[in-house]
Amino acid sequence: MAEISTGERADNTADAAVRPLRALVAVSKALDPAIDTVICMPCFRRPHYLRRTLDSLAGQRTGRRFAVVMVENDAAKSESVPVAAEYLASGKLTGLCVIEPRQGNCYAINAAFETALQTFPMATSFLMIDDDEIASKDWLEQMLRTAEATGAEIVGGPVFPEFDEKRKRGLRRHPAFAPAYDVSGPVPVIYGCGNCLIRRSVFEQLGTPAFDLRFNFLGGGDTDFFYRCKRLGMRFHWVAEAAISETVPQSRTSLKWLVTRGLRIGAINYHVQRKATPTRWLRAKLTTKLLAALPLSLVYAVHAVFTERKGTIAMHPVTVAIGSALAAVGLEPQPYKASKIVS
């Protein structure tokens, strides 16, 4: 197995010596470094879903050349590697697969983007899709055309949930699953990287690691990333037509998972806002805001009971408010630890 640099800055030679290298475990025969577009994909314990994702990429209706960079984030089992190697060796897709030995959401995403930036120095557009998602036929073309036409540095699109159980379809309106926007056009910010396009200039401005490792097991590194982009004045555009579908297993529709999701969103909101409060005065304002959000969330919940008529949706603002308050005192879920991930 070949090894490649992590792409991170080393403070000293001792640090560089102990830092684990990413292993290059699969690569296609034809790998042109002049390719302009790269699709990045973190992978973790979902080889059966990964096949569907890769099929959807191989079936894109576009005349553009693109490469795929896959990152296996389970170094022990590496269940995604044989699938990745199969698609790359057969010529269905062009690209490579590496193993990121450090487990965690942000480690995997950083590995994908850093490997893509390093391997394809001429690439200007970097997209991301998760290994449990299926891209619509014109997804890639829609995203690229929008970036070119608008000049936006970041383009986002919807991820629509597909539930294993028909009776769970009412959860499509739940904030944990519903897309952020319904209509194409300029937007103030996007929140997730499961369907996005990022221009190379963005990474050049933010430096490395792009995704803050403090969000590694909590999640929300993408929300933090995009808010930092917003504060730097970058432009966002939404493409409602560039749809991706996401397979939602039964384990992610339980009451426990939805509550944990709300708590996690609250914790993410707190940490993203906390990073933008460098002074004591701003931190005091944030604390006041959090305290006020708790009773207000009950008002929103009562309103949701009458408008949505679904208890799991109505309780969401309350769990988010509680999650923010708990994070302020150091208590938060860590769903991206390997021991807590259910495939």
Side-chain angles (χ1 to χ4, degrees):
M1 293 189 297
E3 292 182 331
I4 60 176
S5 167
T6 61
E8 297 174 14
R9 296 189 183 96
D11 295 328
N12 52 59
T13 54
D15 179 56
V18 299
R19 179 175 296 138
L21 294 175
R22 296 166 188 148
L24 176 62
V25 291
V27 60
S28 58
K29 295 179 181 178
L31 195 64
D32 186 354
I35 281 176
D36 184 69
T37 301
V38 185
I39 301 173
C40 298
M41 187 188 316
C43 305
F44 190 83
R45 297 180 182 174
R46 292 188 285 216
H48 48 299
Y49 288 144
L50 177 60
R51 287 185 177 278
R52 305 199 316 174
T53 306
L54 296 180
D55 282 337
S56 75
L57 297 182
Q60 288 295 294
R61 287 191 290 227
T62 182
R64 305 173 192 253
R65 294 191 310 145
F66 66 91
V68 178
V69 171
M70 290 167 275
V71 175
E72 170 62 81
N73 197 218
D74 184 3
K77 295 184 177 180
S78 297
E79 295 174 311
S80 304
V81 172
V83 179
E86 175 190 330
Y87 278 76
L88 295 173
S90 67
K92 291 181 181 179
L93 290 167
T94 296
L96 64 151
C97 177
V98 302
I99 293 178
E100 169 53 69
R102 298 166 296 182
Q103 198 271 314
N105 179 263
C106 291
Y107 275 132
I109 296 172
N110 283 333
F113 285 128
E114 288 167 9
T115 302
L117 288 160
Q118 180 180 354
T119 308
F120 302 98
M122 304 301 291
T124 58
S125 297
F126 300 85
L127 297 94
M128 185 170 151
I129 185 171
D130 287 332
D131 64 342
D132 60 346
E133 296 180 341
I134 300 173
S136 55
K137 292 288 187 181
D138 297 312
W139 169 69
L140 181 64
E141 191 66 29
Q142 292 274 8
M143 297 289 277
L144 290 168
R145 284 185 183 180
T146 299
E148 293 163 354
T150 65
E153 288 89 352
I154 299 166
V155 178
V159 177
F160 294 108
E162 297 294 336
F163 296 98
D164 287 344
E165 293 183 82
K166 291 183 179 180
R167 64 187 183 89
K168 297 290 187 177
R169 289 177 180 174
L171 289 173
R172 286 176 178 170
R173 300 190 311 277
H174 194 286
F177 301 112
Y181 306 101
D182 296 322
V183 181
S184 298
V187 292
V189 70
I190 67 172
Y191 304 95
C193 62
N195 182 2
C196 70
L197 178 153
I198 306 171
R199 304 293 279 185
R200 178 180 284 270
S201 60
V202 174
F203 295 105
E204 291 172 347
Q205 290 187 63
L206 267 67
T208 56
F211 281 56
D212 191 333
L213 297 176
R214 284 176 287 184
F215 293 90
N216 202 39
F217 294 122
L218 170 66
D222 45 3
T223 302
D224 171 71
F225 174 84
F226 292 128
Y227 267 97
R228 283 154 53 209
C229 292
K230 179 182 179 180
R231 289 194 288 270
L232 289 173
M234 297 179 190
R235 293 162 296 173
F236 295 78
H237 204 94
W238 187 260
V239 195
E241 298 78 15
I244 280 177
S245 61
E246 175 188 26
T247 304
V248 181
Q250 186 176 356
S251 61
R252 293 190 180 185
T253 59
S254 67
L255 180 60
K256 178 182 177 181
W257 188 91
L258 292 170
V259 169
T260 302
R261 176 78 168 192
L263 295 174
R264 183 170 75 87
I265 291 172
I268 291 167
N269 291 345
Y270 167 75
H271 286 295
V272 169
Q273 295 176 76
R274 177 68 177 78
K275 287 180 70 175
T277 55
T279 67
R280 290 183 179 180
W281 167 244
L282 290 174
R283 288 195 290 271
K285 286 183 66 176
L286 177 58
T287 301
T288 302
K289 179 181 175 181
L290 292 177
L291 292 174
L294 286 169
L296 282 175
S297 69
L298 296 174
V299 177
Y300 297 145
V302 171
H303 179 262
V305 167
F306 292 102
T307 57
E308 298 292 343
R309 298 187 181 280
K310 197 169 186 65
T312 52
I313 295 177
M315 73 179 183
H316 183 73
V318 178
T319 57
V320 170
I322 294 173
S324 292
L326 290 175
V329 296
L331 300 174
E332 59 193 36
Q334 293 189 324
Y336 287 104
K337 277 193 173 182
S339 61
K340 298 183 179 180
I341 295 177
V342 179
S343 302

